[in-house]
Amino acid sequence: MKFKIGVCQPAVTQNRDENIKNAFKSVAAAADMGAKAVLLPEIFTVPYTRRAIRENPEFPEGGLVEEMAALAEKKGIYLFAGTIPEAEGEKRYNTCFVYDPRGNIIGKYRKTHLFDVDLGNLRFTESQLFESGGSPLILDTELGRIGVAVCFDIRFSEYMVALGLKGVELLMVPSAFAIDTGESHWRILTRMRAIDSQAYLAGALSARNNELSYKSYGHSIISDPWGLVIGELDEKEGVLVREIDTGNVGRIREGFPLLKGRRPELYI
């Protein structure tokens, strides 16, 4: 099946309402360019800092969650709504809500692998903010079988291969890579995980704002099942729309059967 996907790279500032307005504007632009499935970045509502995330929880009923449903219905798209700091009682999750073109929530994915790193110049302990999710999300849609992963998940090849083994044809990956890790790893990771899973992969990041302490790398991207980059933004605000053909997934998996050729009994 051929259809267009949209990857949004909106600006993020200190102002939550402005950030949501920017994100919605970019979704509408992607839809107006013909995208049938649209992806937003990880934590697009506030800066990616402990304080901002703690002070701006989002709730699974009403508010932003319903506003995103209305947007998906208005534009008639599948909306992979980045991630938001979802509140459930005292717990918080880094959650991607997914909507169908009728505005129904058809799934939500809570980030599984949490970003706990200390690189000296980059320290972040996501497990102090969020609980880890416990299950993958795979959706059978009118556009095909689509899987969701979030940012740090992309570093775990076993997880992405598992999605490919379950027949996923398109991977949607909202992310928040910083400049240092982005420059070193973002492009190669998106290409390799597309190759590993033999699926299309779309990765969305926020535009870079040098006034924030956590600076996004930008460079939202779409890779095909052969690992070729078919579209990429720079660090500035923008929208990326490309046509994909999920028929390529089956052809590549049949002609170059990486997933069939696995020998998991040998892997430790």
Side-chain angles (χ1 to χ4, degrees):
M1 174 181 286
K2 294 182 180 181
F3 61 93
K4 290 182 179 180
I5 59 174
V7 181
C8 299
Q9 187 167 289
V12 173
T13 70
Q14 298 287 358
N15 186 308
R16 174 186 173 276
D17 292 341
E18 181 178 326
N19 296 337
I20 293 170
K21 181 180 179 180
N22 286 337
F24 280 29
K25 181 180 177 181
S26 65
V27 170
D32 291 345
M33 294 167 68
K36 300 300 181 185
V38 180
L39 175 67
L40 281 167
E42 181 180 19
I43 307 294
F44 66 89
T45 55
V46 293
Y48 200 79
T49 64
R50 295 176 184 85
R51 180 175 181 178
I53 290 169
R54 286 192 178 113
E55 292 180 354
N56 293 276
E58 305 290 347
F59 298 91
E61 296 180 357
L64 178 59
V65 170
E66 288 191 1
E67 292 170 12
M68 293 190 296
L71 177 63
E73 182 178 21
K74 178 181 179 181
K75 305 308 290 188
I77 57 170
Y78 286 93
L79 176 59
F80 293 77
T83 73
I84 58 175
E86 179 199 12
E88 185 180 84
E90 296 299 315
K91 295 182 178 180
R92 300 291 183 269
Y93 295 91
N94 193 346
T95 304
C96 176
F97 283 81
V98 184
Y99 304 84
D100 71 12
R102 293 162 289 282
N104 301 310
I105 295 174
I106 56 173
K108 68 178 182 180
Y109 172 73
R110 289 168 167 172
K111 186 176 182 179
T112 300
H113 302 92
L114 299 182
F115 182 58
D116 289 359
V117 301
D118 185 350
L119 300 176
N121 61 328
L122 175 62
R123 295 185 178 92
F124 207 91
T125 309
E126 201 173 34
S127 61
Q128 293 179 352
L129 291 169
F130 299 117
E131 304 290 326
S132 176
S135 60
L137 177 62
I138 297 173
L139 299 165
D140 288 310
T141 75
E142 297 164 0
L143 304 177
R145 179 165 277 200
I146 304 176
V148 180
V150 174
C151 200
F152 204 51
D153 291 332
I154 203 172
R155 293 185 177 273
F156 296 86
S157 58
E158 304 96 327
Y159 183 69
M160 306 300 279
V161 168
L163 295 176
L165 287 168
K166 293 180 183 295
V168 166
E169 298 163 304
L170 169 63
L171 293 158
M172 294 295 221
V173 189
S175 300
F177 271 60
I179 294 175
D180 288 348
T181 56
E183 287 180 343
S184 298
H185 299 153
W186 172 245
R187 204 170 195 267
I188 192 170
L189 280 170
T190 54
R191 294 186 65 198
M192 281 307 306
R193 294 300 93 87
I195 293 169
D196 289 344
S197 60
Q198 297 190 299
Y200 285 93
L201 188 150
L205 293 93
S206 299
R208 190 175 305 169
N209 181 348
N210 289 319
E211 295 181 0
L212 300 180
S213 58
Y214 189 98
K215 297 173 179 59
S216 174
Y217 178 56
H219 291 269
S220 296
I221 199 167
I222 302 172
S223 295
D224 75 7
W226 195 243
L228 300 178
V229 174
I230 60 174
E232 182 178 3
L233 298 176
D234 56 19
E235 76 281 2
K236 298 183 288 293
E237 191 169 16
V239 175
L240 176 65
V241 174
R242 290 291 185 274
E243 182 178 79
I244 68 171
D245 181 359
T246 55
N248 289 332
V249 175
R251 287 189 286 271
I252 288 173
R253 287 176 178 173
E254 185 64 29
F256 200 79
L258 288 180
L259 297 175
K260 289 182 180 178
R262 294 174 66 255
R263 295 286 305 279
E265 71 277 8
L266 303 180
Y267 311 152
I268 298 174

